[in-house]
Amino acid sequence: MPNNQVSSVVNSLPEALVNLIAQLIRSPSVVGAEHSFFRVLQRELEERGAKVTWYQGILVAQGNDPESLFFSAHIDRHGLICTGPNEFQYAAFVSGNRSGLLGNSVDEELMRKIVKRFPDQNVYAYEPWSGAYRGAGKVKHSYICPKRKNLIFELENLQHLVAGTPIAFADKLSITDDALIGQLDNVLTAAVLVYMFELGFQGTAFFTAEEECGNSWQYLLEWFLRFGGQTNQLVVVDTSPFPDFETAEKQDLVLRNCDANANFNQELTEKLTQICEKHNYSVTFKDEYTQKINVDRLAQGLDAFSIGSTEMGRIINGSNGIVDGTTLQIPTSGYHTMSESAPIKSVAAFLDIIINLAKLENRNA
């Protein structure tokens, strides 16, 4: 990253954090093929003094007081996977078994949106365990197969790949005076959790796979079933989409009372709200925001938007009370594209809040 880019944000964000985000965003982590990224995370975490343990679908980093606070960030990003000779599909659909052949086809409206997201996008293939480079290409065309009702991509220069090879979208971090830009979901908050160990965080950070296809909560729950008791201290961190950058900028951070799956822990949500108020950060509750929009949509005869589905809601709903907690999210625009944009002021606010939540207020962040 050019030095002038770093200097433009160093007063708002620590230079070490910006460099870490830039480094991690260039390491592939396609949903369902996250193994090589786990290896990168393990190195970065151990260099910062964390004890790292690797389980199926989840990397666990712990300090000297692991039960003091629990954070969770998913580390998978959208990409493609080779499913046959010169055939490529959207990886989240394959990993989530959402194929028309299984009688559970993806919603066609969603597929139509995705078809338009990646014209002429540069991509590269990698070996899923080691991350070894397997060639570069470009998206030529994508379409919905009418027979299989699944999304098919045509790529240039990657005809040699074998089935099971993941293909990542080529990306790097861009920085303006106001925003961090790239395929941020969810490398951004994962990088912040790694950086927390540099500041002396002594709790537990979970890094989960396959969130984009709805599987990550199961890996997280399995860890709590192995080792945990009942906790109300899990904070799931992520980005939260808004229709444009101007709308994303209107709030510093995003909280939730609930999602489409479950109500969140009220006490922990209120605690985060109070910390935000104490530090003069503006907050939007995403469920309330969506419900207000839906009043106008229903009045116009339009379908209501979903209030969203999160890792937190899924694990609350599926754990029978074993795991509880809430979310803290960074508002962004351009969700699930190579141009997802996070306001720098929101990233700085996010870092400040979790530093306070972890009682690292006196650290030089």
Side-chain angles (χ1 to χ4, degrees):
M1 184 188 306
N3 290 333
N4 63 338
Q5 287 187 316
V6 173
S7 63
S8 69
V9 298
V10 72
N11 291 330
S12 299
L13 295 174
E15 183 175 355
L17 173 60
V18 175
N19 289 337
L20 181 61
I21 297 168
Q23 174 188 339
L24 294 182
I25 206 169
R26 292 180 60 84
S27 299
S29 188
V30 172
V31 55
E34 303 94 341
H35 303 83
S36 63
F37 192 73
F38 276 149
R39 294 162 69 94
V40 172
L41 281 179
Q42 181 176 4
R43 181 193 66 220
E44 297 297 330
L45 287 160
E46 289 179 344
E47 286 180 352
R48 290 163 174 81
K51 175 187 175 183
V52 179
T53 313
W54 196 342
Y55 302 92
Q56 176 65 29
I58 185 170
L59 197 73
V60 183
Q62 296 179 310
N64 294 326
D65 191 10
E67 296 187 2
S68 60
L69 185 59
F70 296 92
F71 288 112
S72 178
H74 76 87
I75 54 89
D76 54 308
R77 281 167 266 157
H78 282 298
L80 312 178
I81 191 163
C82 179
T83 53
N86 203 28
E87 179 184 272
F88 309 95
Q89 298 188 41
Y90 206 56
F93 295 170
V94 176
S95 296
N97 295 321
R98 290 187 281 181
S99 165
L101 293 173
L102 301 177
N104 186 24
S105 61
V106 181
D107 178 79
E108 289 196 9
E109 182 179 354
L110 173 60
M111 286 197 288
R112 283 194 293 271
K113 291 180 180 178
I114 294 170
V115 165
K116 301 175 183 177
R117 282 179 179 165
F118 307 108
D120 300 319
Q121 174 64 46
N122 291 322
V123 297
Y124 65 97
Y126 66 99
E127 200 280 327
W129 184 259
S130 67
Y133 178 74
R134 288 289 180 261
K138 181 181 289 189
V139 176
K140 291 195 302 183
H141 178 58
S142 57
Y143 63 94
I144 299 170
C145 176
K147 294 182 178 180
R148 290 173 292 177
K149 293 183 172 59
N150 220 338
L151 189 59
I152 309 297
F153 284 75
E154 294 180 0
L155 305 181
E156 292 180 352
N157 301 324
L158 291 175
Q159 297 90 340
H160 62 282
L161 297 180
V162 298
T165 305
I167 300 97
F169 297 119
D171 195 21
K172 65 179 180 179
L173 181 68
S174 299
I175 302 173
T176 69
D177 290 340
D178 301 317
L180 302 182
I181 304 169
Q183 193 181 12
L184 300 178
D185 182 24
N186 185 29
V187 70
L188 175 57
T189 55
V192 174
L193 293 190
V194 173
Y195 180 69
M196 286 289 286
F197 285 94
E198 190 167 324
L199 301 181
F201 178 59
Q202 298 300 321
T204 298
F206 302 105
F207 301 88
T208 59
E210 298 184 27
E211 191 272 347
E212 297 294 1
C213 63
N215 292 340
S216 63
W217 71 270
Q218 298 174 74
Y219 301 127
L220 188 54
L221 177 57
E222 285 184 9
W223 185 91
F224 279 106
L225 291 174
R226 287 186 188 102
F227 306 110
Q230 184 167 326
T231 177
N232 294 319
Q233 293 298 309
L234 177 64
V235 180
V236 174
V237 294
D238 205 343
T239 61
S240 183
F242 287 84
D244 51 58
F245 189 73
E246 291 71 21
T247 307
E249 278 190 307
K250 289 181 179 178
Q251 55 279 300
D252 294 315
L253 295 166
V254 177
L255 296 174
R256 289 177 177 270
N257 300 296
C258 63
D259 71 356
N261 302 292
N263 292 319
F264 293 176
N265 183 271
Q266 184 176 355
E267 181 180 351
L268 187 54
T269 303
E270 180 59 30
K271 182 177 181 179
L272 280 173
T273 303
Q274 291 175 357
I275 296 174
C276 290
E277 291 175 350
K278 177 182 176 181
H279 292 269
N280 297 315
Y281 295 128
S282 61
V283 169
T284 288
F285 281 82
K286 196 59 175 291
D287 51 304
E288 297 175 0
Y289 168 88
T290 305
Q291 288 163 356
K292 289 179 182 178
I293 291 177
N294 284 339
V295 171
D296 293 335
R297 289 184 62 84
L298 292 172
Q300 298 173 43
L302 301 173
D303 292 336
F305 289 138
S306 168
I307 62 172
S309 182
T310 68
E311 184 177 84
M312 187 74 257
R314 291 185 179 107
I315 197 170
I316 291 174
N317 184 56
S319 70
N320 295 319
I322 293 174
V323 184
D324 199 4
T326 195
T327 61
L328 179 64
Q329 299 177 315
I330 297 171
T332 64
S333 60
Y335 196 56
H336 285 172
T337 70
M338 302 304 101
S339 300
E340 184 173 9
S341 302
I344 289 174
K345 69 180 183 68
S346 293
V347 180
F350 176 84
L351 177 61
D352 195 19
I353 292 303
I354 64 171
I355 284 174
N356 278 271
L357 191 62
K359 299 181 180 178
L360 298 172
E361 297 97 324
N362 296 325
R363 296 284 178 173
N364 180 18

